[in-house]
Structure formats: structure tokens, C-alpha cells
Amino acid sequence: MPFAEEPGPHALAAVSQAEHRPLWLDSPARPAPRPPLEGSRDTDLLIVGAGLSGLWTAVRAKERRPDLDVVLLEGSRIANAASGRNGGFMSASITHGHLNGIRRWPQEFRTLYELGLANLAGIEKTIADHGIDCGYHRAGELDVATEAHQVAELAEHAQRVAEYGVDLKPLDVGQARTLVDSPSYRGALLDPHVGLVDPALLSWGLARVAESLGVHIHENTAVLSVERNRGGMRARTVSGQVATGRAVLTTAAHSPLLRRIKAYVIPVFDHVVATAPLPGDLLTTLGGTDGPGVSDSGNQFHYYRVTPDRRLLWGGYDAVYSRGERPGSSLERDDRLTARLVQHMHDTFPQLGDVPIDYTWAGAIDTCSRFCGFWGTAHGGRLAYAAGYTGLGVGASRFGADVVLDLLTGEDTARTRLKMVRSHPLPFPPEPVRQLGIDITRRSLQAADANGGRRNLWLRTLDRIGLGFDS
């Protein structure tokens, strides 16, 4: 089913009545802001950025070394950026999908797969052990085919990953529509190792856990610089400074505090909508609140799921890049793009045509050319960083937290021996070539979806050199 490039008047009207605010942040459970850092202090470990990546780093640091003094600084509010603006899909994959991992690291993919399963189990254990009420359940994810050529591609996908011990369940059209009912479905693959979560509640819960372990968290504390300082590092903030033995940067799509990261990460803006709560008959056709998450199989794909409060959350399709834009940009609101998402939702689920849209929002994804996280150190090993999760950081960020801690301590672990950890993605070209290349890639992906999945010379060239752009 080809998706419309322009929204109809009904979709435009629906968006005009919506609140422009992330659904997850409109919650009575949102805690009051923690006080900013004032003045100067010393610490053993400083973490910059209190998204899921920074929160997991803080928690894992104290679990591994309870004696460490740990300070976590957040420039805004916890969960205000990407960690509170995503769809709440928590995948066991730490390679942004099995095929991406197999293509890039075939010899170590079985290890990567097992590490990903262990990572998801570790997240689930933390949620259970600390009573984090975040609506988590391991619901699985459907990858659905909406075009004839995608049915064959999903079958090839299942066969390919089975060679590496990954068990995905192929579903025919009837089986797929029994789980989630859309007239556009032609078949699906079910990945059982995916959870659904309220990401903001998870973030706030992890902050509580971190503080219970002794971590000092300061919100509304923008870090201006992180630089070498005698035997350690020093971070300057808007209202003070922190001297530290070791530092970790987890600033995702925000402007990097380490220049070298800029070559590898671009912020792309992903738009999302959420309906009003659904009545029981409609809820049943979408799988209910315990049903799986769903993504369709186009190059420009949608993801969607039912939330615990009975809404359909629908996002994806286009990923918008504009030179120089960062989180907080005006790109976080685009009513035409959002209305196009609503149009696609109505085309997929005609039964939702009269359901109001309550929320629209967008968030910036830290995207790299290999689509999954990368790590590194600087300043003689005193600083480590994690970046580039490309939308799958809800789950992979915990694995990444252990990687940066391994790197800081110089430990030889199964993680640090991975080629995935020891390598970097290919850098994006400098501007203005970067913007031009991304624009050409987006148009090429759109053309491939309209042309039976056939990739043009531009996309095939990017595939060969390992440089791409994910929708």
C-alpha cells in the first residue's frame, strides 16, 4: 500500500485540535525538578546528560562500584528530550536490528545477539527489583508487510537470521490480522524479544533508583565545557563547576561537548501522534493494551503501539534533518508532517477515522551511519562517551552504559573485545555535502518504496560503503 505524501483535510483538522506535547510527559507522576548545581564540587565520576543513557550509566556505576561518588548533570529536565519523546519500544537488539548486525559483524553476531538478550533481561530485573512502575511488558514486535515484495523480504529475513540462532515467527495474513487488524497487512514476522514501556516513567524510576544508590542528580544544569584538569577532568556549568577523576558524555542529539563526535552524529527529527483513549471494540482490533508493538516494512517505516491508557501511538515515516538544528528546534513542530502521519494511520486503520488526535510531538534522534551505538575515549582515557543509538537507545543504552564504564576502568570484557565496540561508524561528510547527501538519500528511499523496494544506484553505493541514512 503506497502511502500518501500529502494529508487530506480530515487529517489536517485532526491535528489542529491536538495538544503539542509529548504524551509521556503529561503525567501526574512527573517529579518536581531537582535543584541545579550551584558552586563547585569534586566527584569520582561525572556523567553529563540524564537521559536513559546517562541514568543507566549512573545506576550501573554504583552497582559495580558502590564506593564511587557519582554526579549526574542534566541541562533541562529528566526525560524532556529523546528519552521522553520516543515510542517506548525496548528491543533486545543492540545492533538496530538483526540484519544490520549480521551485515556489519557477521563473525561476532551470535555474541552480539546473546549480549542483547542478557541486556534486556537485566533491564527487566532492575524494573522488577526496584518496583519501577513504568507499564513494562515483553509484548513482542510485529514487522508487517504491506506490499507484495515485502512478504518475500520478510521470509528471507527470517531465514537469514535463523542461520545465527535468531528465532523469528513468520505469520501469514490471517495470523497477523488476528493480532492487529489492518486491511493493508499481507503477512508479518513476530520478534518475541521486544518490550513496551512508558519511557518517561522508566527514566523517572531510574533516577529514583540512582539516588537511592547515592548518585547526586542536578537538573537545569547546562554544561558549557568539559576539559582536562591536572590529573582529571573539569566541567564548567552555567552556575558552577565540577572537578572529577573520570567523566562520561551521554548527550545524544544535543551539541557534542567533544568535537570529534560531531563528525559521526546527526540529529534527525521524528514525529509522533497519539489518539484519544480508544473504546473497547476499537482497542480489540489493535491488539489491546497487552498487544505487540508494530512496525511496517518500508524504507520509510511507521512504528505504532497501544499505550497503557488505551491510546494508539503512531510515529515515524520521515526523519527530518536540517543543518544546525538541535533539540528544542522549531522542527519539533510541523503540522503538515504530523497530519501526513495521521493520514497514514487512517489509511492503515480506517476504523480510527473518527477518533480524535490528542497529542502531537517530535524528538531529535542521534543518528550515525551504522545505525547503532558507538563508543570511545578521550583525554588520556579520563573521558568516555556513548552516542549514535539511532532510535533504539531505550534498550541498548543499558548495554552502552556498561561499555563506557569498561572503557573508563580499562577492563578487558566480552564487551570491549567486540569489533562493534572497538570500531567507529563512517563519518558523515561536512556541510553542505552532508545536507545534500541526506536529501538525496531521503528521496531515493521514498522512490524505492514506490518502486517495489528496488534501490537505485545511490542507495546501492551507500550500502556497499556502509554509509546510510535511516528513516
Side-chain angles (χ1 to χ4, degrees):
M1 180 186 72
F3 289 102
E5 286 304 309
E6 292 297 330
H10 186 60
L12 287 165
V15 166
S16 70
Q17 302 300 314
E19 181 176 358
H20 184 69
R21 181 181 185 184
L23 164 68
W24 309 121
L25 299 184
D26 189 13
S27 170
R30 188 176 194 182
R34 292 159 176 85
L37 175 73
E38 300 287 350
S40 301
R41 66 156 298 164
D42 296 344
T43 189
D44 298 321
L45 177 64
L46 171 67
I47 303 165
V48 181
L52 284 166
S53 187
L55 289 164
W56 277 118
T57 303
V59 170
R60 293 296 296 136
K62 292 294 286 186
E63 289 177 339
R64 291 167 55 153
R65 283 277 310 276
D67 59 308
L68 281 178
D69 186 76
V70 179
V71 172
L72 176 58
L73 302 182
E74 166 56 41
S76 178
R77 297 283 306 280
I78 292 173
N80 196 54
S83 294
R85 292 173 178 267
N86 59 78
F89 285 62
M90 186 182 288
S91 175
S93 174
I94 56 176
T95 59
H96 205 280
H98 307 308
L99 290 180
N100 189 50
I102 290 169
R103 282 193 297 267
R104 298 181 187 279
W105 304 286
Q107 294 182 336
E108 68 182 23
F109 180 73
R110 287 181 180 270
T111 299
L112 290 167
Y113 179 57
E114 293 299 325
L115 286 170
L117 293 177
N119 180 64
L120 182 60
I123 294 172
E124 292 170 338
K125 186 176 187 302
T126 297
I127 290 171
D129 287 353
H130 294 278
I132 300 176
D133 184 10
C134 56
Y136 176 79
H137 59 296
R138 193 185 285 206
E141 180 179 1
L142 284 179
D143 187 0
V144 298
T146 59
E147 300 282 352
H149 70 90
Q150 294 170 0
V151 177
E153 290 169 359
L154 289 182
E156 293 173 7
H157 181 163
Q159 183 178 5
R160 177 65 169 146
V161 301
E163 298 171 6
Y164 290 83
V166 180
D167 185 21
L168 302 181
K169 183 179 179 182
L171 305 178
D172 62 27
V173 61
Q175 293 169 318
R177 292 189 62 176
T178 296
L179 292 175
V180 181
D181 189 18
S182 168
S184 67
Y185 290 177
R186 296 170 179 258
L189 282 181
L190 176 62
D191 183 348
H193 302 299
V194 177
L196 296 178
V197 71
D198 179 324
L201 286 175
L202 174 62
S203 299
W204 300 330
L206 286 174
R208 174 179 57 81
V209 172
E211 289 179 320
S212 75
L213 296 172
V215 176
H216 308 278
I217 302 176
H218 298 279
E219 296 181 84
N220 294 312
T221 303
V223 176
L224 305 178
S225 66
V226 180
E227 55 199 21
R228 202 157 174 171
N229 178 40
R230 293 192 289 275
M233 302 295 297
R234 178 175 60 189
R236 296 185 182 276
T237 78
V238 293
S239 55
Q241 62 180 9
V242 179
T244 180
R246 295 288 187 270
V248 176
L249 299 182
T250 62
T251 51
H254 293 269
S255 184
L257 292 167
L258 186 66
R259 181 174 297 177
R260 70 184 65 173
I261 299 175
K262 293 182 179 181
Y264 298 105
V265 174
I266 60 171
V268 297
F269 288 81
D270 177 58
H271 291 78
V272 193
V273 303
T275 70
L278 300 171
D281 56 337
L282 292 183
L283 192 67
T284 300
T285 69
L286 300 177
T289 56
D290 294 325
V294 185
S295 61
D296 53 43
S297 300
N299 290 296
Q300 291 181 289
F301 63 90
H302 307 88
Y303 57 85
Y304 41 103
R305 44 87 52 108
V306 175
T307 65
D309 59 350
R310 303 165 58 99
R311 306 172 188 272
L312 183 69
L313 179 151
W314 177 282
Y317 190 70
D318 210 353
V320 180
Y321 172 75
S322 183
R323 178 179 179 178
E325 299 292 346
R326 294 285 176 180
S329 158
S330 60
L331 293 179
E332 290 183 354
R333 177 166 186 166
D334 187 316
D335 287 348
R336 189 190 69 83
L337 288 183
T338 305
R340 184 172 65 182
L341 277 179
V342 174
Q343 183 67 58
H344 295 175
M345 183 183 71
H346 290 166
D347 292 341
T348 304
F349 298 114
Q351 63 267 41
L352 299 184
D354 293 327
V355 177
I357 302 299
D358 277 0
Y359 295 91
T360 72
W361 71 94
I365 299 171
D366 61 323
T367 298
C368 73
S369 64
R370 72 185 194 187
F371 307 148
C372 57
F374 67 94
W375 302 267
T377 60
H379 297 295
R382 295 175 177 84
L383 180 144
Y385 58 86
Y389 289 113
T390 317
L392 262 69
V394 176
S397 55
R398 180 188 180 276
F399 170 81
D402 274 315
V403 171
V404 293
L405 294 170
D406 290 346
L407 293 174
L408 278 180
T409 57
E411 293 183 53
D412 178 24
T413 68
R415 292 178 291 265
T416 58
R417 290 191 291 271
L418 292 168
K419 290 182 181 178
M420 176 187 175
V421 169
R422 292 187 284 109
S423 65
H424 271 55
L426 289 173
F428 291 104
E431 298 290 6
V433 177
R434 178 180 297 189
Q435 180 75 63
L436 177 63
I438 290 171
D439 291 344
I440 293 172
T441 302
R442 288 173 61 205
R443 290 195 294 270
S444 297
L445 291 171
Q446 183 180 339
D449 284 336
N451 195 30
R454 288 184 287 275
R455 298 170 77 80
N456 62 17
L457 178 61
W458 176 263
L459 293 178
R460 295 197 304 272
T461 301
L462 293 181
D463 291 340
R464 282 195 296 272
I465 65 175
L467 181 66
F469 181 65
D470 192 16
S471 70

